[in-house]
Amino acid sequence: MTETTPIRTVISPARYVQGKNAITRLGEFLTPLGNSPLLVADDLVWGFVGHDVEASLSAAGLPVIREDFGGIPSAREVDRLTGLITQHSADVVVAVGGGSTIDAVKAAGYAAGIRWVSVPTVASTDAPTSALAVIYTDEGVFEEYRFFPKNPDLVLVDTQLVANAPASFLAAGVGDALATWLEARATRQSNATTMAGGMATLTGTALAQLSWDVLWENALPAMDAVRDNVVTPALEKVVEANTLLSGLGFESGGLAAAHAIHNGLTASDQTHGLAHGQKVNIGSLTQLVLEGAPTADITDFIEFTTRVGLPTTLTEVGLTPDDTDDLRRIAEAATVGGETIHNMPFEVSVGDLTSALVSIERLSRRVRSNAGLPEPELYQPRHH
Ligand SMILES: [Zn+2]
């Protein structure tokens, strides 16, 4: 009966390192973890970090072996990377890049039975710190969460790299991190099991709330800083909120409707090509509607996230309220058994969710118009 004994738990990476030019110290922090690292980075990322990574590893007496990343964290890509780890006899695998590279590398490191490290070059998701990976089909449709017995041994973020990246990446990270508190708050109410495998601790819930507070205070000035490619104290705070606080907060504080709605949105071709955090923001707004949150809170959320540069209408994710079949399909995907929407403190039916999705278009357009914010522009999905 011990497996059913209710527990509260919090999990975290062994070490988190953040700072301007932190990448130059990667070798120093990798040394205690292994002698034979395998770096995974796509050509674009390697083009601007390869030189510093090589210099840092060489200075620490570590070999530099780099493999390309295929673009989507699918089961096939994870198997390919696992094979490469074995081929190189690597004892630690290091993901250098965005959330997709990081998730694929975590899954491959676990499958190969070695340590894994996250070196995010953008602050666009909270994937780097967690002990799970989101696996997609080769077409980019949500497939499953894979859980590992531990978090990365090291997460190292160079804030100058984050400042050099397009501002839209940071905006997406803010969208992902704002959801963390809304979902942890709902999970606290339902006492549901979190991604960490128990009920939330005070710690997990508090970190989720801290992430929210830090972002409301600093996200807009941080966006300005990134547009000038400079590191400021506001940017440092937002990078920590997007990466560490949101990562610990979602994993140990609980996911609920917002991420389930994100997963549902991936079932629609129209939304392909949008960042994770952009789709999550639609999920957050829809969750607030489902909760019957105070109108003032919903209004503030729409105004603030529009100013950050996040979508708050169906139009901006390639949908319209008239796409009834599409919206219903999204709602069905978001409410399948095992989805985190069932962590909400009330039942959410396909009908309720479809209605909430339909409602956000008119609601957001009115709020934005009243606040003098721009009208939504139609998102045109990339076709392949
Ligand atoms: Zn997320």
Side-chain angles (χ1 to χ4, degrees):
M1 296 309 277
T2 46
E3 276 169 29
T4 56
T5 301
I7 51 155
R8 298 186 184 275
T9 186
V10 61
I11 57 178
S12 75
R15 181 188 285 270
Y16 179 80
V17 176
Q18 177 185 311
K20 186 176 173 173
N21 303 323
I23 196 100
T24 61
R25 295 182 60 179
L26 179 60
E28 168 191 339
F29 288 106
L30 268 184
T31 301
L33 303 179
N35 310 312
S36 177
L38 174 66
L39 301 149
V40 179
D42 64 36
D43 290 344
L44 183 76
V45 166
W46 195 248
F48 56 80
V49 302
H51 177 80
D52 283 345
V53 170
E54 261 187 85
S56 176
L57 267 61
S58 299
L62 293 169
V64 181
I65 300 159
R66 196 268 303 195
E67 290 285 355
D68 195 8
F69 172 62
I72 292 184
S74 63
R76 188 207 303 261
E77 178 65 3
V78 171
D79 290 348
R80 187 186 72 87
L81 293 173
T82 309
L84 288 169
I85 290 170
T86 311
Q87 198 184 308
H88 290 294
S89 306
D91 55 8
V92 55
V93 61
V94 184
V96 186
S100 299
T101 310
I102 288 167
D103 271 7
V105 162
K106 282 193 282 194
Y110 172 65
I114 63 167
R115 295 172 186 258
W116 56 91
V117 165
S118 307
V119 181
T121 52
V122 286
S124 61
T125 78
D126 51 23
T129 62
S130 73
L132 63 89
V134 189
I135 302 299
Y136 296 83
T137 66
D138 289 317
E139 288 71 44
V141 178
F142 171 78
E143 194 167 81
E144 59 166 343
Y145 289 107
R146 282 196 199 173
F147 296 90
F148 315 121
K150 65 183 185 63
N151 300 66
D153 278 286
L154 169 67
V155 178
L156 183 141
V157 196
D158 183 333
T159 45
Q160 186 61 58
L161 291 175
V162 172
N164 293 347
S168 59
F169 284 101
L170 190 72
V174 171
D176 198 21
L178 287 172
T180 301
W181 167 236
L182 299 178
E183 294 180 276
R185 185 174 69 178
T187 304
R188 178 177 66 182
Q189 227 183 311
S190 64
N191 263 319
T193 300
T194 73
M195 302 312 244
M199 289 182 291
T201 51
L202 294 172
T203 308
T205 307
L207 294 178
Q209 186 162 23
L210 180 58
S211 166
W212 172 273
D213 293 343
V214 167
L215 292 171
W216 278 80
E217 184 63 25
N218 297 284
L220 295 175
M223 289 294 298
D224 293 333
V226 165
R227 289 189 185 99
D228 288 328
N229 305 128
V230 292
V231 177
T232 60
L235 178 62
E236 290 279 2
K237 288 176 191 170
V238 169
V239 170
E240 185 180 336
N242 285 9
T243 313
L244 182 63
L245 294 173
S246 179
L248 298 177
F250 98 77
E251 184 164 47
S252 293
L255 290 180
H259 270 76
I261 294 164
H262 160 275
N263 294 342
L265 284 167
T266 68
S268 166
D269 292 344
Q270 299 303 316
T271 70
H272 288 177
L274 286 161
H276 171 79
Q278 291 179 302
K279 284 176 271 192
V280 168
N281 203 58
I282 296 297
S284 293
L285 176 55
T286 308
Q287 179 178 321
L288 287 168
V289 170
L290 279 171
E291 288 173 325
T295 300
D297 291 1
I298 297 180
T299 303
D300 287 350
F301 187 84
I302 292 169
E303 290 182 10
F304 180 65
T305 60
T306 301
R307 289 196 172 98
V308 169
L310 288 162
T312 56
T313 58
L314 297 177
T315 301
E316 290 161 299
V317 293
L319 298 164
T320 78
D322 307 325
D323 297 335
T324 332
D325 288 350
D326 233 2
L327 293 176
R328 204 176 165 83
R329 213 153 48 86
I330 290 163
E332 280 166 0
T335 54
V336 295
E339 252 304 354
T340 56
I341 203 162
H342 305 296
N343 292 346
M344 293 298 288
F346 49 85
E347 280 296 324
V348 180
S349 68
V350 173
D352 293 340
L353 180 50
T354 309
S355 301
L357 282 165
V358 167
S359 78
I360 67 166
E361 182 76 17
R362 193 181 298 275
L363 171 64
S364 270
R365 282 179 180 267
R366 177 177 51 75
V367 167
R368 285 163 62 149
S369 159
N370 288 348
L373 290 164
E375 287 220 356
E377 276 175 40
L378 177 66
Y379 172 68
Q380 309 268 22
R382 283 185 254 136
H383 279 289
H384 31 83

